[in-house]
Amino acid sequence: MSEEFQAPRGFHDILGDDLKRFRKVTTTVREILKKHNFEEIILPVVEFADLFERSIGEATDIVQKEMFIFEDRKGRRLALRPEGTAGAVRAYIQSRLYTKRTYHKLFYEGPMFRHERPQAGRYRQFHQIGVEVFGAPQPYADAELIKICWDIIGSLNVKADIEINSLGCKVCRPAYREALVGYLRGVEGKLCDVCLDRKERNPLRVLDCKVETCREAVKEAPKMVDYLCEECREHYSKVREYLEVLGVRYRENPNLVRGLDYYTRTVFEVVSPDLGSAVIAGGRYDHLVEEFGGPPTPALGFAVGVERLSLLVGTPGEDDPVYFIIPLGDVIPYAIEVADTLRKKGKVAELSYRGGSLRKQLDFANRMGYRYAVIIGEDEVREGVVSLKDMETGEQVKVRPEEI
Ligand code: HAM
């Protein structure tokens, strides 16, 4: 195929076993969210670029170099959404949800877009299931969300570790930031070029740089948890207490800072040691709603990276056995009725479009992993039955279609 008709780099089709794993993830997450009474919201894929720039932060990688931005016919700057939180906050304010009840538990599912360098588990179009809670200041809300992440990895039987940290608030973060910048100035010689640039504009990001010399340089850096104000310290300690009650295993990582600027207090990531990256991530963002013109609304959430998590789950087996209907000769009216009868009974039935001899069709059924062949020839039609062959045991019996 000529290159111009291939999908652009970082954009991919999802099919076959990959899609089975993808759906296993989305179905499992949705089931867990349903038990917590989350309500779905469908958000647009396009928003004004400004919404993301102001919420995610001008100095972040996403805003600096990863957004797909374009102009509409009137010259307004639009962006394909790189994440869902900003749009959810916009929708919360625009629909005045805060006038309807004191708190909301929402979730969304869909594609996100970031112009990153593609690699295993990193794409330019990827999917998230995002969860956002608006109007809940309580530390048990943080604990409940982290527990949901714990349940997700447990239900999917995935090996991953939960890391948590607190990033403080408007009151305590400035003093910490100042202390950190002071410290970083002292170790400039060891920082990579990117971090040299970050150290004044977005110093917290230096803490999670993957470059070895930077990791070495920040080992002795001041830690946010030592600078928390009374309220933030109390909040963080309650979150950990409730996580213990809920039996969630977690690790405190004082260098966990996240790549988006809107976070306050609790942040967390579910990290896969096999992928070396986060499969789920989130945290609290108590000021964002207010910054966009809504009433003061403490909020928190997380997003599941569906493709990334899919890489870690096993391919689900054939859940429902497939009945493969093989019509031989002039029996189509009977065969399509049999297919309909089976489907009405809740079975998965596929009418063969394969053609050819019975042997070839049985070979085909075998190759596809279908459990039963439903053979229909003129004899079967006359007798009002089908020949049902169990492809695993080879056993074959004549039965009436309603009795299958
Ligand atoms: P994030 O950490 O930027 O957070 O993304 C969340 C998850 O999306 C990541 O942990 C990862 O699994 C997946 N992800 C991110 N980028 C890519 C990519 N290029 N390819 C594949 N997967 C990717 C957020 O987006 C926040 N909105 C989460 C949040 C919700 N915080 C509060 N509420």
Side-chain angles (χ1 to χ4, degrees):
M1 182 187 273
S2 73
E3 209 167 282
E4 61 183 312
F5 291 124
Q6 290 186 7
R9 193 163 132 81
F11 291 78
H12 59 146
D13 307 306
I14 309 171
L15 60 155
D17 283 352
D18 289 343
L19 186 57
K20 283 189 188 155
R21 285 189 284 266
F22 188 101
R23 284 287 166 241
K24 183 167 164 185
V25 170
T26 57
T27 319
T28 304
V29 174
R30 277 174 173 270
E31 272 165 12
I32 293 171
L33 293 178
K34 195 168 170 199
K35 284 194 211 141
H36 289 78
N37 205 25
F38 276 89
E39 200 184 321
E40 183 162 10
I41 178 170
I42 299 180
L43 297 165
V45 171
V46 169
E47 301 271 2
F48 287 119
D50 200 36
L51 176 75
F52 300 115
E53 289 163 352
R54 283 180 42 203
S55 57
I56 298 170
E58 296 284 354
T60 59
D61 285 351
I62 298 180
V63 167
Q64 293 261 309
K65 50 187 187 203
E66 294 171 5
M67 289 227 284
F68 284 90
I69 297 184
F70 58 98
E71 281 186 6
D72 70 3
R73 287 169 189 274
K74 295 211 169 123
R76 287 171 297 213
R77 288 173 68 250
L78 301 176
L80 294 181
R81 60 179 181 193
E83 58 107 51
T85 307
V89 167
R90 198 246 334 113
Y92 176 78
I93 299 169
Q94 194 172 336
S95 298
R96 298 168 55 82
L97 290 183
Y98 48 84
T99 61
K100 306 206 164 81
R101 45 178 291 179
T102 50
Y103 67 91
H104 284 268
K105 294 167 63 169
L106 305 175
F107 80 94
Y108 47 84
E109 175 180 347
M112 307 291 159
F113 304 84
R114 296 184 194 177
H115 199 282
E116 294 192 78
R117 207 155 49 81
Q119 60 179 53
R122 196 161 77 195
Y123 314 98
R124 289 180 177 171
Q125 176 177 338
F126 59 97
H127 294 75
Q128 286 185 346
I129 295 188
V131 165
E132 313 292 350
V133 179
F134 293 105
Q138 302 88 342
Y140 63 77
D142 310 44
E144 273 209 303
L145 285 199
I146 297 169
K147 170 70 159 66
I148 291 176
C149 298
W150 173 252
D151 287 345
I152 292 172
I153 54 177
S155 301
L156 290 169
N157 204 8
V158 153
K159 192 169 78 179
D161 306 309
I162 298 180
E163 298 188 350
I164 68 169
N165 191 20
S166 175
L167 295 182
C169 66
K170 274 183 181 162
V171 176
C172 49
R173 181 106 50 91
Y176 170 66
R177 195 189 145 106
E178 209 170 296
L180 181 62
V181 172
Y183 172 87
L184 293 174
R185 286 193 188 128
V187 295
E188 267 177 359
K190 292 187 190 161
L191 299 181
C192 72
D193 287 348
V194 182
C195 285
L196 275 178
D197 185 46
R198 274 180 187 150
K199 97 182 171 321
E200 312 280 334
R201 288 189 308 129
N202 201 357
L204 267 67
R205 287 294 290 172
V206 178
L207 295 177
D208 78 342
C209 179
K210 303 283 179 282
V211 176
E212 197 49 49
T213 50
C214 294
R215 291 170 84 118
E216 194 60 38
V218 300
K219 267 198 177 139
E220 304 292 316
K223 301 192 184 334
M224 183 68 232
V225 283
D226 297 327
Y227 285 74
L228 296 177
C229 61
E230 190 54 39
E231 281 86 11
C232 287
R233 194 161 349 116
E234 173 72 9
H235 186 97
Y236 192 39
S237 126
K238 287 276 177 213
V239 172
R240 285 172 295 164
E241 180 189 329
Y242 301 144
L243 288 176
E244 310 283 342
V245 173
L246 288 166
V248 174
R249 210 171 337 114
Y250 65 90
R251 186 166 62 215
E252 284 182 72
N253 175 358
N255 286 346
L256 177 64
V257 294
R258 310 280 295 118
L260 308 94
D261 282 354
Y262 46 64
Y263 292 108
T264 51
R265 296 193 168 168
T266 320
V267 287
F268 53 92
E269 285 189 350
V270 180
V271 183
S272 152
D274 294 331
L275 291 177
S277 61
V279 289
I280 309 177
R284 191 168 263 288
Y285 50 94
D286 286 342
H287 307 306
L288 197 55
V289 174
E290 197 178 358
E291 277 163 20
F292 278 95
T297 307
L300 64 163
F302 67 79
V304 175
V306 179
E307 284 88 348
R308 259 188 220 176
L309 203 46
S310 304
L311 287 174
L312 303 175
V313 306
T315 307
E318 203 78 66
D319 291 329
D320 296 306
V322 177
Y323 289 77
F324 185 60
I325 303 166
I326 305 176
L328 299 168
D330 192 10
V331 298
I332 297 305
Y334 185 79
I336 54 179
E337 252 183 66
V338 169
D340 191 44
T341 305
L342 288 176
R343 288 171 192 144
K344 280 200 184 114
K345 287 175 63 132
K347 312 256 182 238
V348 179
E350 180 170 324
L351 187 56
S352 174
Y353 296 154
R354 163 79 179 63
S357 69
L358 177 59
R359 199 176 51 77
K360 284 209 165 123
Q361 301 220 46
L362 287 174
D363 279 353
F364 174 79
N366 230 341
R367 225 170 345 140
M368 301 315 289
Y370 296 153
R371 179 65 201 272
Y372 299 103
V374 180
I375 305 161
I376 303 173
E378 277 152 22
D379 287 351
E380 279 83 1
V381 176
R382 218 173 305 116
E383 293 165 38
V385 296
V386 300
S387 293
L388 182 68
K389 186 181 177 76
D390 185 328
M391 300 298 290
E392 271 174 23
T393 61
E395 200 183 321
Q396 185 170 323
V397 288
K398 279 192 173 171
V399 284
R400 301 171 61 76
E402 322 71 81
E403 282 160 10
I404 290 181

